[in-house]
Amino acid sequence: MPAREEVAYFGAGPAPLPTSVLTKGAQAFVNYEDTGLSLAEISHRSAIANQILADTKAALTSLLSIPDNYETLFMHGGGTGEFSAVVFNMVACWAEKRRQAAVKEFGADEDKVLETVPGP
């Protein structure tokens, strides 16, 4: 078998990672920072998980120069989830425009608008 350094990878998927990154990731998957737990075994509600997210957010903010008035979201779903998010965003934008038009037509009192606009 060739050494990792000898392999030239041109696949369409994820790029190969440096061996040092894979080694550190493999160790964390077995025993994350000497907690005795695998990274996959840590509760997503734990202080450890919250610290991982905070550190990741800080690193991304620094690396990508994300402004303070932006929020970083960590979501599941990958590319497929993104397709759904696009549709949800378009529907939300449409609904907000319709709400603004109704407020303009029926007055600024939003409770009155909800009473006046017929339901589905």
Side-chain angles (χ1 to χ4, degrees):
M1 176 186 315
R4 289 184 50 79
E5 293 77 21
E6 297 172 356
V7 175
Y9 180 76
F10 297 103
L17 296 170
T19 302
S20 61
V21 172
L22 291 175
T23 302
K24 188 170 181 178
Q27 179 58 37
F29 202 73
V30 173
N31 183 4
Y32 181 72
E33 294 191 357
D34 293 324
T35 60
L37 294 170
S38 163
L39 190 56
E41 297 170 323
I42 295 171
S43 169
H44 66 284
R45 295 184 181 105
S46 70
I48 295 170
N50 287 332
Q51 189 60 52
I52 292 169
L53 289 174
D55 292 346
T56 304
K57 182 177 178 179
L60 283 171
T61 300
S62 174
L63 178 68
L64 301 175
S65 301
I66 298 172
D68 290 338
N69 62 334
Y70 279 56
E71 189 61 43
T72 302
L73 302 177
F74 295 98
M75 303 173 67
H76 70 284
T80 303
E82 186 63 32
F83 290 130
S84 296
V86 169
V87 174
F88 288 138
N89 187 49
M90 290 170 60
V91 170
C93 289
W94 176 84
E96 175 60 16
K97 286 181 182 180
R98 295 301 304 142
R99 186 195 66 77
Q100 289 174 3
V103 167
K104 187 175 181 181
E105 182 177 342
F106 297 113
D109 184 2
E110 290 195 30
D111 291 332
K112 184 182 255 183
V113 169
L114 294 176
E115 292 171 9
T116 308
V117 175

